């Protein structure tokens, strides 16, 4: 008869080399299972060693078998390996593009943790030789060393570098343009920070042989690499031509420098400069008459009621534009204000200005203002119709003052003001126009074409099935060939339309991401804001906020960083 005893943690012991946890297989007084044995092992001093469900199951079966042996049966007592000592393990995973390597470290079972040397050896064996992240390697090793047995600690330990294409030629303008001069009162006493509000600085003109622009050479590209050391070539920058526009020449001493050939107003063009001839006038009055000039016009005083001024270049007005009509081929800069009044029995105003570039003024009211570039009003924009293909900004440089009240303001991408709307006012209408309507129409047309072509493809497939059932003949072959050719052409057209639809959707998403109304201080109730067919009317006052698109609607969000 077998003598039985109670199973206890004392039955677990280490092998002489301390590599294994052993269990003496002896008769027990009650049957045991793998779960009970695992719980007992967890209470032993060797619970940091690695065991397995199979080892526990085999041990439980051995214990139960020897305990159930009949008298006279030969069942010699034995010893089973229940757990083993295991050092920390390293696995290296390479990204498909070989631009990063991730190390997976497994904490040891009563063994030695992964060392920094082991990890670096593993990286070398995996072919990872470049872009090693020393700090990440040390941090990963330290975390794995204190982890629970078998715990997985993973992280990126090597990163490649993408190639950086070199910059093309760089062009640096060395003289101020007309738009940079305005609305900057001149400092008369720097020590006491005193300015003269009536002095906005000298007119931005240049003399013969003044240096206008310098071209800097292109930069070489920087080669990248993968973590396995494969070089990724970069493109060097291109040398772009330096363009000498009207009234400008390339310096005979340095072909990277542009010089003025005549006195006039400097204009920056793409990759170069031009100098406009300048017509200088004191005031534009009925006595002087209307003006049309191919160059730029500098008006020291005012443009009076009912007068018209048109220039092929820039127009600078030192005073006010009062119920006049201005058209500039480039920038229009008004040192003071653009002033009009409502026209009786009409929705129009008595003052209108249009510019092929920017419109910059201190204030504007009851005016029609249109510009291809930014419209920048530094103080107040009141009850005006304003349209910019780019941005409308109603603010000084410090974003401390700038009120937009009433009227209709449309911008291609963004509108910014310090204060928008006013108490008990609901006449302020803001619209981000962008290319939304064109993109929407194109998307609608493409979807219709795609649906139509898919339907035609199904009809061709039906026709092809019917042709295939015809008796073999020359006519059947001709029909099948014609259907196949038509189907191939239609498939190519369908693919092109689907690619264009993806591009249109991406363009719309990008335009929506750029579209913003920024308010630096107060956004009053009753302001109407539209973007891409969506409309929001503010119901309460908001402080320092932005209006943008989110999940198919316009929302008001806090503005953390004022642009």
């Amino acid at each position: 008869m077998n003598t039985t005893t109670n199973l206890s943690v004392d039955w677990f012991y280490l092998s002489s080399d301390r590599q294994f946890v052993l269990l003496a297989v002896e008769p027990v007084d009650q049957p045991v299972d793998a779960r009970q044995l695992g719980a007992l092992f967890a209470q032993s001093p060797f619970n940091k060693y690695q065991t397995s469900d199979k080892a526990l199951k085999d041990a439980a079966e051995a214990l139960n078998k020897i305990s159930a042996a009949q008298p006279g049966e030969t069942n010699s007592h034995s010893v089973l390996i229940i757990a083993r000592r295991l050092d920390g393990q390293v696995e290296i995973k390479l990204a498909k593009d070989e631009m990063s390597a991730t190390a997976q470290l497994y904490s040891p079972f009563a063994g030695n943790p992964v060392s920094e040397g082991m990890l670096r050896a593993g990286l070398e064996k995996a072919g990872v030789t470049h872009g090693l992240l020393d700090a990440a390697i040390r941090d990963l090793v330290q975390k794995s060393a204190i982890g629970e047995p078998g715990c997985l600690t993973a992280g990126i330990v090597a990163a490649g570098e993408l190639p950086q294409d070199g910059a093309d030629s760089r062009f640096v303008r060395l003289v101020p343009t007309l738009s940079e001069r305005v609305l900057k009162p001149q400092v008369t006493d720097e020590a006491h920070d005193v300015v003269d509000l009536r002095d906005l600085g000298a007119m931005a003109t240049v003399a013969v042989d003044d240096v206008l622009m310098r071209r800097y050479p292109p930069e070489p590209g920087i080669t990248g690499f993968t973590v396995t050391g494969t070089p990724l070539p970069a493109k060097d920058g291109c040398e772009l031509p330096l363009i000498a526009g009207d009234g400008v020449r390339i310096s005979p001493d340095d072909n990277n420098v542009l010089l003025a050939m005549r006195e006039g107003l400097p204009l920056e063009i793409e990759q170069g400069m031009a100098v406009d001839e300048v017509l200088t006038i004191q005031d534009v009055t009925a006595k002087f008459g209307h003006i049309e000039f191919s160059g730029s016009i500098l008006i020291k005083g005012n443009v009076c009621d009912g007068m018209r001024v048109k220039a092929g270049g820039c127009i600078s007005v030192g005073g006010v534009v009062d119920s006049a009509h201005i058209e500039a081929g480039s920038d229009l800069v008004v040192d003071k204000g653009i002033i009009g009044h409502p026209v009786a029995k009409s929705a129009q105003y008595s003052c209108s200005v249009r510019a092929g570039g920017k419109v910059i003024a201190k204030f504007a009211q009851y005016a029609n203002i249109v510009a291809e570039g930014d419209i920048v009003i530094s103080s107040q924009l009141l009850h005006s119709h304003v349209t910019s293909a780019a941005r409308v900004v109603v603010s000084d440089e410090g974003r401390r003052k700038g009120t937009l009240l009433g009227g209709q303001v449309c911008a291609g991408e963004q509108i910014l003001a310090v204060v928008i709307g006013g108490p008990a006012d609901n006449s302020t209408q803001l619209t981000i126009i962008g290319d939304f309507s064109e993109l929407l129409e194109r998307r609608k047309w493409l979807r219709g074409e795609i649906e139509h072509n898919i339907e035609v493809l199904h009809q061709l497939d039906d026709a092809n099935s019917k042709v295939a059932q015809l008796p073999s003949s020359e006519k059947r072959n001709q029909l099948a060939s014609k259907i196949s050719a038509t189907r191939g052409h239609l498939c190519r057209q369908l693919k092109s339309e689907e690619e264009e639809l993806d591009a249109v959707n991406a363009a719309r998403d990008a335009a929506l991401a750029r579209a913003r109304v920024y308010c630096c201080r107060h956004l009053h109730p009753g302001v109407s804001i539209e973007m891409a067919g969506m409309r929001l009317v503010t119901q309460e006052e908001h402080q320092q906020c932005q209006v943008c698109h989110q999940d198919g609607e316009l929302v008001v969000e806090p503005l953390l960083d004022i642009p």
Side-chain angles (χ1 to χ4, degrees), residues 250-270:
I250 295 177
S251 170
D253 301 321
D254 187 345
N255 62 4
N256 290 309
V257 171
L258 293 180
L259 303 177
M261 293 176 61
R262 64 189 178 198
E263 292 185 6
L265 193 67
L267 300 174
E268 185 171 7
I269 61 177
E270 187 174 2

Side-chain angles (χ1 to χ4, degrees), residues 2-178:
N2 291 325
T3 302
T4 63
T5 58
N6 290 325
L7 185 64
S8 72
V9 295
D10 296 335
W11 288 27
F12 299 107
Y13 63 97
L14 287 178
S15 62
S16 58
D17 58 5
R18 307 185 66 81
Q19 295 297 310
F20 301 99
V21 177
L22 307 178
L23 173 66
V25 180
E26 298 181 7
V28 291
D29 54 358
Q30 292 183 351
V32 296
D33 56 27
R35 184 184 58 81
Q36 293 171 325
L37 203 56
L40 190 64
F41 177 77
Q43 300 173 20
S44 76
F46 313 117
N47 56 12
K48 298 296 184 183
Y49 281 68
Q50 184 190 43
T51 187
S52 67
D53 292 340
K54 185 178 184 307
L56 294 171
K57 182 179 178 182
D58 291 346
E61 290 177 352
L63 289 170
N64 291 331
K65 183 177 180 181
I66 197 170
S67 300
Q70 297 298 319
E73 290 184 4
T74 303
N75 282 294
S76 59
H77 297 183
S78 61
V79 174
L80 294 177
I81 295 176
I82 202 73
R84 62 172 180 163
R85 181 180 182 271
L86 185 65
D87 290 338
Q89 304 294 308
V90 179
E91 290 183 7
I92 305 297
K93 303 288 186 182
L94 281 180
K96 287 184 179 181
D97 59 3
E98 297 187 356
M99 290 303 293
S100 66
T102 300
Q104 296 181 338
L105 274 55
Y106 294 89
S107 298
F109 289 89
N112 297 317
V114 175
S115 66
E116 186 175 333
M118 289 173 60
L119 177 50
R120 290 184 182 275
L123 289 167
E124 185 175 353
K125 184 178 179 181
V128 179
T129 57
H130 286 62
L132 300 182
L133 306 175
D134 294 334
I137 289 173
R138 289 192 293 270
D139 183 61
L140 202 64
V141 167
Q142 291 172 2
K143 288 181 179 178
S144 179
I146 60 176
E148 290 295 316
C151 175
L152 170 62
T153 305
I156 294 176
V157 291
E161 288 189 8
L162 294 172
Q164 299 180 32
D165 292 343
D168 295 339
S169 299
R170 185 166 52 93
F171 303 88
V172 178
R173 177 167 44 82
L174 303 176
V175 293
T177 59
L178 182 64

Side-chain angles (χ1 to χ4, degrees), residues 57-374:
K57 182 179 178 182
D58 291 346
E61 290 177 352
L63 289 170
N64 291 331
K65 183 177 180 181
I66 197 170
S67 300
Q70 297 298 319
E73 290 184 4
T74 303
N75 282 294
S76 59
H77 297 183
S78 61
V79 174
L80 294 177
I81 295 176
I82 202 73
R84 62 172 180 163
R85 181 180 182 271
L86 185 65
D87 290 338
Q89 304 294 308
V90 179
E91 290 183 7
I92 305 297
K93 303 288 186 182
L94 281 180
K96 287 184 179 181
D97 59 3
E98 297 187 356
M99 290 303 293
S100 66
T102 300
Q104 296 181 338
L105 274 55
Y106 294 89
S107 298
F109 289 89
N112 297 317
V114 175
S115 66
E116 186 175 333
M118 289 173 60
L119 177 50
R120 290 184 182 275
L123 289 167
E124 185 175 353
K125 184 178 179 181
V128 179
T129 57
H130 286 62
L132 300 182
L133 306 175
D134 294 334
I137 289 173
R138 289 192 293 270
D139 183 61
L140 202 64
V141 167
Q142 291 172 2
K143 288 181 179 178
S144 179
I146 60 176
E148 290 295 316
C151 175
L152 170 62
T153 305
I156 294 176
V157 291
E161 288 189 8
L162 294 172
Q164 299 180 32
D165 292 343
D168 295 339
S169 299
R170 185 166 52 93
F171 303 88
V172 178
R173 177 167 44 82
L174 303 176
V175 293
T177 59
L178 182 64
S179 62
E180 292 177 331
R181 168 190 173 270
V182 296
L183 309 179
K184 294 181 180 178
Q186 300 300 294
V187 177
T188 58
D189 186 347
E190 293 187 3
H192 297 88
D193 209 19
V194 176
V195 299
D196 185 350
L197 296 176
R198 297 166 296 179
D199 181 8
L200 297 177
M203 203 63 73
T205 57
V206 295
V208 175
D209 285 339
D210 278 356
V211 179
L212 305 177
M213 176 175 280
R214 174 174 288 279
R215 176 182 62 180
Y216 289 89
E219 298 176 355
I222 300 175
T223 301
F225 57 83
T226 68
V227 295
T228 57
T230 302
L232 303 175
K235 295 180 181 179
D236 293 335
C238 297
E239 182 169 276
L240 302 177
L242 182 62
I243 306 299
D246 290 343
V248 174
R249 66 189 176 102
I250 295 177
S251 170
D253 301 321
D254 187 345
N255 62 4
N256 290 309
V257 171
L258 293 180
L259 303 177
M261 293 176 61
R262 64 189 178 198
E263 292 185 6
L265 193 67
L267 300 174
E268 185 171 7
I269 61 177
E270 187 174 2
Q271 298 176 206
M273 295 288 293
V275 174
D276 248 3
E277 291 182 309
V278 178
L279 174 64
T280 303
I281 303 167
Q282 181 60 43
D283 292 295
V284 181
T285 64
K287 182 178 180 180
F288 192 93
H290 303 308
I291 300 173
E292 184 169 344
F293 185 63
S294 60
S296 294
I297 301 175
L298 300 182
I299 301 168
K300 295 181 179 180
N302 305 319
V303 182
C304 298
D305 190 354
M307 303 311 298
R308 294 193 302 272
V309 179
K310 183 176 181 180
C314 296
I315 298 177
S316 173
V317 180
V320 298
V321 176
D322 185 2
S323 294
H325 304 277
I326 306 287
E327 185 174 344
S330 186
D331 295 341
L332 168 63
V333 175
V334 183
D335 286 356
K336 294 182 181 177
I338 302 171
I339 306 170
H341 57 77
V343 177
K345 299 180 181 180
S346 169
Q348 296 300 312
Y349 299 129
S350 62
C351 186
S352 66
V353 301
R354 179 181 293 270
K358 299 178 181 178
V359 171
I360 301 175
K362 189 171 184 180
F363 62 89
Q365 65 181 28
Y366 296 114
N368 297 311
I369 304 174
V370 179
E372 293 299 317
D374 291 347

